[in-house]
Each structure stands twice: as structure tokens, then as C-alpha cells.
Amino acid sequence: MVSGAAGYTVSEPTHIHVCDRKIVKISDEIPTTSNIYDCKNQLVTPGFIDCHTHLIYAGNRANEFEMRLNGVPYQEIAKQGGGILSTVRATREASEEQLIELALPRLDGLIRTGVTSVEVKSGYGLTLSDEIKMLRAAKALEDHRAIRVTPTLLAAHALPPEYVGKADDYIDFICQEIIPLVAEEQLATSVDVFCESIGFNLDQTEKVFLAAHQHGLKIKGHTEQLSNLGGTALTARHEGLSADHIEFLDEQGVAAMAQSGTVATLLPGAFYFLRETQLPPIALLREHSVPMAIATDLNPGTSPFADLTMMMNMGCTLFGLTPEETLRGVTCNAARALGYGESRGQIQVGFDADLAIWDVSHPADFSYQQGVPRLSARLVNGKISYV
Ligand code: NIG
Ligand code: FE
């Protein structure tokens, strides 16, 4: 079926036995059950995992896209109260139901590119109730589509207007009020911080990480996106699941990631859309065997792209990844970036029964041609789904 797929772990026609939402056997044995889905010799992959999105939001930032093309930099727009804060205003005004309605078409875009698991961050609410509203809306997407959602608390995304000049007080509020409640109500599994000159500094980031640990939550970081502050090494020191963006990462930071097993989540959509020129240190990441994931970063400001295979294409064309690396980047490595390295992202006995069935002739096709529908079906949590 797949010729010339050297380097990929491709098995010839076989049977994947599923029971109780898990893969229980992979063999040539014809199953005895009548409940058989015939993949008709098509390529089956693990369901794709988009491990970094901000897909819950209201509002539209097309005007800022236009401003940037007229020469106003992203940081300047943010300083003028635009950027993340303009989405915060719109998101605060929206109800949980409205946020779900707005998110579904974006989610459908991801689903069309084979996604069965998606991480969704808060971070456009920045009050206790609005952050919780976002996290609940994210999880509720599972009631509307065949999808698994992993919500992440990103209250430390931007300084809310109520706290201007009092960033440390906002960090205390996150640590003392938001994190404990989110942990207690199990609204998120991880906590993320935007560690950047227009976000939060290293001390503030570390305080949030410590509070997250204290409440049993895992850690992720938006780090080294626009400058080299050392947020990635800090994330690694705290055994973060992933450090994301990392265009400005240096070798020390790469070595720290290698030591802690932190995944490098690459976000070529944001790099492309912001017309950045600083490339992430791919050669160093390879040299130090740091696992690389690829994600959409789907958000209204820096990456309005609801298409994961397009990110695989950009990972190859912009960052020089191979199609095989991008495939790992949306399967096993993306699973690791969410803390599911032992249960998702591979077709293995004991793993969750999340699969994608494709009308493609070679695994490199995912990174190659774009815009042609080629997903035949998905299996999500053991159940077949045609959308
Ligand atoms: O991942 N870097 C910070 N957060 C988002 C941007 C969010 C926005 O501009 O609304 C990102 O690129
Ligand atoms: Fe992001």
C-alpha cells in the first residue's frame, strides 16, 4: 500500500483490535466480532494531536493584521492596548455558550486535518470567572464533537488592565486564587506562562510554576518567542512538559530541555504570520535529541490557522524539518507535550483507540500537498467518526 516509506514505521495490512476504548491487539488475525471497520487498505495513523491552541476566544483581529502590514510591530500594538488585550475585552463580554459556538468552526478545521486530541488554553479572560468560563467552554467542546480536549490554564498570558503597574499582585492573585480553584475543580491539567518582555519575567514565571506544582498541576511555557529571557531553561528546571515557540533559544536552553525531557513545541504558524526571521535552533534540538512537536497555536493574533497539516508543511518549508519529523511532531511527541506519552500518539497495544484513516499514498503527503480533503474517518476514544 505504501511504497518507499523508508524511515517510517509502516505496517502492511493488519487488524487493529479495539476494546473498551483501548487498542488491545494488533495482528493479522481476522477478528471474530461482527463490528469491523474496513479501512480499505488506506493509511491509518495515530489520531493527530494539536498540543498548543488558544481556540476559545471572541472578537476578530484582522485590523491588527492590516496595521502590522502598514508597519506597526506586534509589540507596539500590544503596548497600545491592542493585541491580546483586545481579545480579552471581547472574550470577557461573551458567554460560555457564545464562546463554544465561536470555537466550533475552528475546531472543525482542525478535525478535518485528522485531529483527535486538542489542547486549549485560557488566557483571554484574566479574571477568575472569565478564566474559568474559558476552561469550561474548552472542555464542553467534547459534548459537541468527537474530540478529546486538554485544557491548560494560561492566566499569566498578559497583564489585565485592572493590574497595570501591579504585575506582582496579579501573579499573587493567580497563585493564591486562580490556581487553587482550577486545581480543586479539575478544570485544567497544566499551567502555562507567557514568559516574555510583553508578558511576565522569570521571577513571576517561577512563582506561577511553584504554585502549579503545589497544586498538582503540570507546567508548560511560552518561552523565547521574541527574545532570549531564559524561560525555557526555567521551564526545564521545573520539569515542564513542553517549552513552546523557542525561536530565540540558545544551546544552554536546549541542553536543559534534553536533561529534563521537555518537549520543544514548534509553532511555525506564528513565526510565519508575524513574519519573524529568527529560526528555532532545529540543528541543536536534533543534536541534543530533544523531542519536537508541531502545533497550530491557533489564536486570533499570531496564528489564525485552523489546519494542523498546514503547520506540518510550514515546519518543513520554514524550519527545515523532514516530513517524518513533522509526523512525529503531531503524534508521539505532541502526546508527550501533553503528558500522554504513554497512552496516545502511537498505534500500540494499551494505547488509547484514537486513529485517523487517510486516503493518502505516502506518509510524507501530510506535509506535502495542502487543501485537498483526504481524511476518510477518525476513531476517537474507540468510536468511529466520519467528521
Ligand atoms: O502563542 N505568545 C503569546 N500568546 C499567543 C498570542 C496570542 C495573541 O496574540 O492573541 C501566541 O502567539
Ligand atoms: Fe500560544
Side-chain angles (χ1 to χ4, degrees):
M1 162 196 52
V2 179
S3 56
Y8 297 92
T9 317
V10 179
S11 308
E12 280 313 307
T14 191
H15 296 99
I16 301 169
H17 304 240
V18 169
C19 184
D20 285 341
R21 304 165 178 198
K22 296 273 177 201
I23 297 169
V24 292
K25 188 155 86 169
I26 303 166
S27 76
D28 292 338
E29 230 173 88
I30 300 183
T32 46
T33 165
S34 57
N35 193 4
I36 299 175
Y37 179 80
D38 182 359
C39 297
K40 300 196 171 75
N41 260 354
Q42 292 187 327
L43 185 69
V44 180
T45 64
F48 286 180
I49 299 169
D50 191 349
C51 65
H52 181 141
T53 86
H54 308 248
L55 75 78
I56 295 284
Y57 63 84
N60 178 310
R61 307 237 303 264
N63 62 324
E64 290 180 13
F65 178 48
E66 196 139 32
M67 281 170 80
R68 282 197 289 108
L69 288 166
N70 280 309
V72 189
Y74 179 62
Q75 285 96 322
E76 187 50 44
I77 294 171
K79 275 190 205 138
Q80 290 174 14
I84 294 174
L85 288 182
S86 85
T87 304
V88 169
R89 285 191 291 276
T91 303
R92 284 181 177 182
E93 277 169 25
S95 67
E96 188 179 316
E97 292 67 32
Q98 285 168 330
L99 290 176
I100 295 167
E101 282 307 307
L102 289 166
L104 286 173
R106 300 168 197 144
L107 179 61
D108 287 337
L110 297 180
I111 285 174
R112 275 195 290 275
T113 53
V115 171
T116 55
S117 283
V118 63
E119 186 256 18
V120 182
K121 298 175 196 295
S122 66
Y124 291 126
L126 313 183
T127 64
L128 180 63
S129 60
D130 289 306
E131 286 293 295
I132 286 177
K133 176 178 73 178
M134 287 191 72
L135 293 171
R136 287 197 204 284
K139 199 63 187 168
L141 295 173
E142 290 182 344
D143 301 332
H144 297 263
R145 295 290 186 273
I147 191 76
R148 293 174 187 270
V149 175
T150 302
T152 297
L153 176 70
L154 179 59
H157 194 195
L159 190 63
E162 301 78 19
Y163 281 89
V164 171
K166 298 183 292 184
D168 288 328
D169 291 352
Y170 181 57
I171 292 293
D172 288 345
F173 176 64
I174 292 174
C175 296
Q176 289 159 21
E177 309 281 336
I178 303 186
I179 289 177
L181 192 79
V182 163
E184 192 186 314
E185 302 210 356
Q186 299 183 350
L187 296 170
T189 47
S190 300
V191 175
D192 195 342
V193 178
F194 185 24
C195 181
E196 190 54 68
S197 53
I198 57 167
F200 296 93
N201 66 30
L202 285 177
D203 287 346
Q204 293 161 342
T205 302
E206 187 156 33
K207 274 192 185 167
V208 175
F209 285 172
L210 288 170
H213 276 317
Q214 214 187 328
H215 289 88
L217 296 171
K218 294 177 195 130
I219 280 164
K220 299 170 85 64
H222 277 72
T223 53
E224 268 70 67
Q225 179 185 9
L226 307 167
S227 60
N228 185 354
L229 285 191
T232 305
L234 179 71
T235 305
R237 265 207 309 285
H238 284 272
E239 297 184 332
L241 288 174
S242 70
D244 303 22
H245 288 289
I246 61 164
E247 280 86 345
F248 284 80
L249 186 61
D250 57 20
E251 184 155 15
Q252 231 183 325
V254 174
M257 293 183 85
Q259 212 178 356
S260 59
T262 301
V263 173
T265 298
L266 304 171
L267 305 169
F271 172 90
Y272 159 82
F273 198 65
L274 292 178
R275 301 162 81 210
E276 295 291 342
T277 50
Q278 173 82 28
L279 285 163
I282 303 295
L284 286 173
L285 292 167
R286 283 184 184 134
E287 214 174 286
H288 288 259
S289 305
V290 174
M292 292 181 275
I294 291 270
T296 60
D297 195 15
L298 172 44
N299 76 73
T302 66
S303 191
F305 306 117
D307 186 326
L308 189 55
T309 59
M310 179 62 91
M311 299 305 118
M312 296 168 78
N313 173 279
M314 288 184 186
C316 295
T317 55
L318 301 176
F319 293 170
L321 298 175
T322 66
E324 190 196 349
E325 284 174 321
T326 65
L327 190 51
R328 288 183 194 286
V330 299
T331 53
C332 51
N333 291 345
R336 272 183 75 166
L338 295 185
Y340 298 126
E342 302 304 316
S343 58
R344 292 188 201 168
Q346 296 181 50
I347 305 180
Q348 294 276 10
V349 171
F351 275 58
D352 291 344
D354 293 351
L355 304 170
I357 301 150
W358 304 91
D359 183 15
V360 306
S361 54
H362 191 283
D365 279 359
F366 300 119
S367 295
Y368 169 60
Q369 190 168 44
Q370 302 303 313
V372 179
R374 54 201 165 176
L375 180 74
S376 300
R378 295 174 307 138
L379 196 75
V380 185
N381 213 5
K383 280 207 189 102
I384 198 81
S385 170
Y386 295 94
V387 278

